[in-house]
Amino acid sequence: MKMIDAAFAAITVLFGFWISIEGLSYGYLVSESRPGSGFFPFWVGVVIAVLGAINVFRSLAGLEQLSEAFEASGVARTAGLSLVMIVFLVVVPWLGMLLASGILILTSGLIIRPTKEFYFIARLLCLSVILPASAYIVLHLILGVRLIDGFLGF
Amino acid sequence: MLDSLLLLAHGVVNALSVELLLVVLIGVIGGLMVGALPGIGPSAGVAILMPIAIGFNGILAIAGLAAIYYGAMFGGAVTSILLGIPGDSSSVMTVLDGHAMAKKGQAGRALGLSVSASFVGGIIGILFLAILSVPISNIALEFGPVQMTALMVFALTLVSVLGGRNKYKGFLSLFIGFWLGMVGLDPIGGPVRYTFGSMHLFDGVDFTIIAVGLFGLSEIFMSFSETESERKQYTFRSLIPRITDMVKCRASLLSGSLIGSFVGTLPGAGATTATMLSYAYSKRTDRNPEEYGHGSLHGVASPEAANNAASYTAMIPLFTLGIPGSATTAVLLGGLIMIGIHPGPLLFVNHPEFVWTVFGTFWIGNIMLVFLSLLLIPFLASIASVRPVFLYPAVISVVIFGVYSIHFALFDVGIALASGVAGYIMLKLEYAPVPLVLGLVLGPMIEQNIRRTLIISEGGLSTFYTHPISLGFILLTVIVLLAPLGTAVGRRIKRNRQR
């Protein structure tokens, strides 16, 4: 965890530098007394870089004791769920929001608890029908929110 | 003052007609539902339902729309507490302790406390609105860019309270929030900043999207580290709120209500700022600040009282000056104009019956919300006992549809997901997420007000010391920053004396 913490802090240092350099391209000062659009981004970037450097030092010097750790199972499920949501974003224009969200609910449940139990999958299937249907009623019919339709027309 | 109270009482009597009661009831129910849905905040709820409301006569329309507004403030706490997803930006602070209480099997207690806090905040906010509208609006008018900058800098000193164990990481989160607030079109200079060429980021990053991902999705990711045995079991008793909690939190209720009432009147500050200031003040002045973030009653009471107080006092500049202080009051202003009422200094003179009857409906609506919410609490609290394997997919679908409904863009869902992953990493590495949202809210205000101040003063900083209100906030900031040092020195002197 110490190395991950230090690496993340190092990334924030680079991030801070990037913000500052990019900020200068927006104009640091308009005139002697008028800060430009890049004035605040520059200084925000500088502060982020400095604080990041302090955190790198604290992490490597062992001054930082973290209580949590990245467990393999937690990271795997997080990655799996994130991937499923990314796939959802990609397929929505084709499948439509309702169908895609139903599939998302089903796969999310199976990622959280991988199992082949019939009753569990049946309940998950019910949920993957009820929730999109509820969203359609509340958002589309009652509140007038236009949802993305797929090739099936919904 | 007595005259105003009598007029308010008269307004309450006028508001007891069947039509008005029905409209207010429909409004608060609608507002509760809208507030509970992440993404669709009070402003969207009021705007969506305005075409229906305007079909009624003047008082009915405004009473209904306002009921949606303060109903939504109540409703935002529901998903914050039960699911850890802020229903709208002003209920972010309630997530910290409200959801922690729900995870400990005290969802009913948390919801009950939020209802009572909202009620107390609402009462104090309405009294401010009725009695102190004109003097407060005069004070609010004194708040220009200089004063707002000083107030925001003072608000930032509180981040040391919200920043978690590692202050450096807390401030880093804060400045990342500042950066996020700079994404999009610069309202003063004009160029588009940090959008990577995407039109979706032209208007910047919506606070609600970041908050939903940072608190809602990251909470789900973090829970994968818990085992089944770590999750609390729920009993029927845990679904019921406790009246004694309201008594225990009376100081937080009062401070939250007063802070919310005052900050809510400042155009641009809003309920979100009020809840953050209130929570931070409550934590800073509490004897047991280490309990905050882990299920402290005061951590729920204070921001919820501030939230509801601010929702009423945000209407002070609207009614007295015709200046909408927030997106929701801007929509309400549109509604008032559509029914032929022009808010401003003469509103109380030209339409007293209208104004005091509307205020009367606020009083009645506040009471209705208490009864409705208390009836719903056992049912709502039982949602927290649903197994995570079914609850989390439901939460994800609520997040997706809620976030999508903000701008009708899947891009926003992607932002929420990225925020969720970032929040997961931040929580594991103990970077507090609250300063990030504080920076996102306050950063744009600070930047714009400082730049406006420097333009007006032609680069001179002495303007911060020559304005009394600004000077007052700067002195408060110095006191807050030096207080821990003073306390430490005092303890050392005391220890030396004891030796």
Side-chain angles (χ1 to χ4, degrees), chain B residues 223-438:
Chain B
S223 73
F224 294 149
S225 309
E226 290 171 11
T227 56
E228 283 291 335
S229 59
E230 286 175 336
R231 296 194 191 109
K232 201 73 182 170
Q233 299 304 312
Y234 300 90
T235 62
F236 180 74
R237 196 180 148 73
S238 72
L239 303 178
I240 308 298
R242 296 184 202 175
I243 298 171
T244 49
D245 290 339
M246 197 171 151
V247 177
K248 272 185 212 168
C249 297
R250 56 191 183 280
S252 302
L253 290 175
L254 184 61
S255 65
S257 302
L258 291 174
I259 292 172
S261 294
F262 176 67
V263 176
T265 60
L266 301 175
T272 308
T273 309
T275 56
M276 287 180 176
L277 285 175
S278 164
Y279 184 93
Y281 172 81
S282 185
K283 185 175 177 182
R284 197 171 254 281
T285 54
D286 199 287
R287 281 182 207 161
N288 304 304
E290 67 282 354
E291 288 178 10
Y292 283 69
H294 302 286
S296 164
L297 295 174
H298 301 275
V300 174
S302 188
E304 279 300 303
N307 188 9
N308 269 63
S311 70
Y312 290 104
T313 58
M315 292 190 254
I316 289 179
L318 172 66
F319 281 105
T320 58
L321 303 168
I323 300 172
S326 64
T328 313
T329 49
V331 177
L332 278 173
L333 175 63
L336 282 167
I337 291 171
M338 283 164 82
I339 59 169
I341 302 286
H342 292 271
L346 293 177
L347 180 68
F348 287 76
V349 173
N350 294 340
H351 303 280
E353 197 75 14
F354 170 84
V355 171
W356 292 106
T357 305
V358 168
F359 289 177
T361 64
F362 293 170
W363 192 271
I364 291 168
N366 198 30
I367 296 170
M368 275 186 190
L369 276 168
V370 171
F371 284 107
L372 275 172
S373 305
L374 287 174
L375 280 172
L376 289 171
I377 281 173
F379 163 70
L380 292 172
S382 64
I383 291 173
S385 64
V386 172
R387 284 172 59 194
V389 70
F390 298 116
L391 183 63
Y392 291 159
V395 168
I396 290 170
S397 70
V398 167
V399 165
I400 285 170
F401 285 107
V403 167
Y404 171 78
S405 61
I406 298 173
H407 298 126
F408 309 117
L410 286 175
F411 183 86
D412 293 338
V413 179
I415 296 282
L417 172 60
S419 302
V421 173
Y424 170 68
I425 296 170
M426 284 173 70
L427 287 168
K428 284 289 188 185
L429 299 177
E430 295 186 15
Y431 285 81
V434 174
L436 191 149
V437 295
L438 186 65

Side-chain angles (χ1 to χ4, degrees), chain B residues 128-191:
Chain B
F128 262 66
L129 179 64
I131 299 167
L132 299 172
S133 284
V134 174
I136 285 183
S137 63
N138 289 336
I139 295 172
L141 270 179
E142 294 297 319
F143 270 74
V146 178
Q147 292 77 9
M148 285 300 285
T149 304
L151 173 62
M152 295 298 124
V153 169
F154 171 65
L156 284 182
T157 60
L158 299 171
V159 79
S160 61
V161 175
L162 303 175
R165 204 169 47 85
N166 184 332
K167 300 289 180 263
Y168 301 107
K169 288 184 173 177
F171 276 100
L172 191 107
S173 293
L174 174 72
F175 278 85
I176 290 176
F178 279 168
W179 170 73
L180 277 171
M182 292 177 196
V183 172
L185 182 71
D186 173 18
I188 295 177

Side-chain angles (χ1 to χ4, degrees), chain A residues 38-63:
Chain A
F39 181 84
F40 272 87
F42 173 78
W43 287 108
V44 165
V46 165
V47 172
I48 288 175
V50 167
L51 289 170
I54 292 172
N55 285 322
V56 170
F57 169 75
R58 284 176 58 84
S59 185
L60 293 175
L63 295 172

